[in-house]
Amino acid sequence: MEDKRCALVTGGNRGIGVKICRQLASNGVDVILTSRNESRGVEATEKLNISGLRNVIFHQLDINDPSSIALSVKFVETRFGKLDILINNAGELGVIFIDDKEFKARGGFVQLVDENAHLLTNIVKEPYQLGEKCLKTNYYATKTVTESFIPLLQLSKSARIVNVTSVFGDLYWFHNEKLKQELHDIDNLTEGRIDEIIQMFLMDFKAANLQKNGWPLTTSAYKVSKAMLNAYTRLMARKYENIMVNCVHPGYVITEMTSQTGFITEEEGAKGPVMAALLPDNGPSGAYFDRTQMAPFLSTDAPFK
Ligand SMILES: NC(=O)c1ccc[n+]([C@@H]2O[C@H](COP(=O)([O-])OP(=O)(O)OC[C@H]3O[C@@H](n4cnc5c(N)ncnc54)[C@H](OP(=O)(O)O)[C@@H]3O)[C@@H](O)[C@H]2O)c1
């Protein structure tokens, strides 16, 4: 008989994360719902337990805090002795909505395309510090969590890593053709080069050179962070043949991150990441899914209409 699988979900206290926990637990997986805020995480876990899902437990995890990551690894090791599924869901947007009402009236995220950048100056702002923090959380912290759990994932018979990415991570949003091709050429890309590209972006961001050097102009740091997460997903899939590593755009979901705009519910948004977590052993690795459909990392047409 197959042994019971266990999954750890980051940012499991709300939004898409809590629904991922619910759906995994409903599929018979033991779930470690993690949250940086203890009381919010305990509350979310208790709600799932009360609804009949006794196989969800809580552990505190702030992905930006290395000691919190280390304690979580210790916890999983002691309690389960391995990890089967890691879902890197925690993330942040890195922008401030100055005029939330206008943002919603104009159609929410659909307008966050570079042709509209000049129209958005009084509606959405992206301060440098928030953009830098967005990259730190969405890329570097996710990477640290992943690397910390690799030894426990290596002990699983069917290890899966799911990176919750975004359609905004599509290389379509980059305007520097050379960079775009370099990021797409996964056989020659390295983690060191990703670091250099992030540094180049941050320098251009600080110096207001985004347009000049072909970076995305709206939700810039978020788009760069998710594009780098996609590239990292592909590198990890190549490095660890015994771990299935994929990234999933959950869809445009009604959550706090989207200021409650969106086309689909959190429950619907959780379906793609859960599908990738439960892929059979002959499933793909190093792939990108738009919800539950495999899609390209570099679209030729606007991927978000
Ligand atoms: N909603 C969409 O349409 C959409 C589309 C594409 C991709 N995504 C991606 O889907 C994922 C979930 O998004 P969502 O819409 O559910 O967002 P959300 O409602 O804003 O929830 C974000 C979650 O991430 C957690 N988080 C942020 N920083 C963290 C940290 N340092 N340590 C631990 N947890 C942290 C938050 O915790 P707190 O409660 O403590 O703040 C919260 O649980 C994100 O990766 C996002 O980029 C969302």
Side-chain angles (χ1 to χ4, degrees):
M1 207 174 86
E2 200 188 313
D3 62 350
K4 206 153 185 229
R5 282 175 297 174
C6 61
L8 183 138
V9 182
T10 66
N13 55 299
R14 65 180 163 96
I16 300 164
V18 73
K19 302 300 177 186
I20 293 174
C21 293
R22 171 183 287 286
Q23 290 175 24
L24 283 175
S26 302
N27 273 285
V29 177
D30 284 334
V31 176
I32 306 138
L33 180 157
T34 71
S35 161
R36 60 179 159 185
N37 179 289
E38 176 132 13
S39 59
R40 287 201 290 262
V42 167
E43 196 185 322
T45 306
E46 280 174 358
K47 273 193 191 151
L48 293 176
N49 292 160
I50 289 165
S51 77
L53 297 167
R54 307 297 307 171
N55 51 341
V56 183
I57 55 170
F58 169 73
H59 199 269
Q60 193 275 343
L61 174 55
D62 179 341
I63 67 165
N64 274 320
D65 176 357
S67 62
S68 169
I69 297 175
L71 285 172
S72 298
V73 173
K74 196 84 217 141
F75 173 78
V76 177
E77 188 181 12
T78 309
R79 180 89 182 228
F80 298 98
K82 57 155 188 173
L83 183 66
D84 300 294
I85 300 164
L86 171 64
I87 303 212
N88 287 311
N89 163 75
E92 56 185 90
L93 189 59
V95 305
I96 302 170
F97 296 112
I98 309 165
D99 189 342
D100 197 46
K101 213 168 142 208
E102 188 60 20
F103 177 74
K104 286 178 178 157
R106 284 163 168 260
F109 276 63
V110 177
Q111 68 196 299
L112 292 180
V113 293
D114 291 355
E115 303 84 78
N116 289 345
H118 64 290
L119 302 172
L120 295 167
T121 44
N122 295 322
I123 299 172
V124 185
K125 279 246 179 312
E126 188 173 3
Y128 176 80
Q129 277 77 7
L130 273 192
E132 190 183 33
K133 188 158 171 289
C134 172
L135 270 154
K136 188 168 172 251
T137 302
N138 296 359
Y139 181 69
Y140 286 109
T142 298
K143 195 175 153 185
T144 309
V145 169
T146 303
E147 274 151 27
S148 306
F149 278 106
I150 288 287
L152 287 178
L153 285 159
Q154 298 271 34
L155 298 174
S156 165
K157 287 188 206 124
S158 55
R160 309 278 182 266
I161 297 173
V162 181
N163 291 324
V164 181
T165 184
S166 167
V167 72
F168 280 162
D170 193 309
L171 292 170
Y172 170 87
W173 307 108
F174 287 64
H175 311 295
N176 178 330
E177 282 304 321
K178 200 167 158 257
L179 185 62
K180 209 161 156 157
Q181 293 309 329
E182 188 182 355
L183 282 165
H184 200 36
D185 178 13
I186 211 65
D187 291 336
N188 293 303
L189 191 66
T190 63
E191 288 177 42
R193 183 59 186 151
I194 293 178
D195 290 342
E196 285 172 11
I197 292 169
I198 291 175
Q199 284 317 307
M200 276 159 49
F201 167 74
L202 288 174
M203 273 166 56
D204 283 341
F205 191 16
K206 206 171 209 169
N209 279 335
L210 293 182
Q211 186 151 24
K212 183 178 155 208
N213 290 323
W215 298 103
L217 299 179
T218 54
T219 52
S220 313
Y222 183 78
K223 284 184 176 125
V224 172
S225 74
K226 294 295 192 181
M228 300 306 143
L229 181 62
N230 290 355
Y232 178 64
T233 301
R234 302 176 82 187
L235 292 183
M236 292 299 277
R238 194 178 68 190
K239 187 168 174 184
Y240 296 103
E241 284 181 3
N242 59 339
I243 303 179
M244 211 176 274
V245 194
N246 292 299
C247 52
V248 182
H249 166 57
Y252 180 20
V253 188
I254 306 161
T255 66
E256 276 182 48
M257 182 174 281
T258 58
S259 207
Q260 305 302 333
T261 63
F263 300 147
I264 58 171
T265 62
E266 294 167 346
E267 202 74 59
E268 284 292 317
K271 284 185 180 166
V274 169
M275 178 276 308
L278 301 178
L279 278 171
D281 288 339
N282 61 355
S285 191
Y288 165 67
F289 292 90
D290 183 340
R291 300 181 64 183
T292 53
Q293 297 300 311
M294 211 187 282
F297 286 96
L298 169 54
S299 299
T300 43
D301 290 322
F304 187 58
K305 299 173 193 98

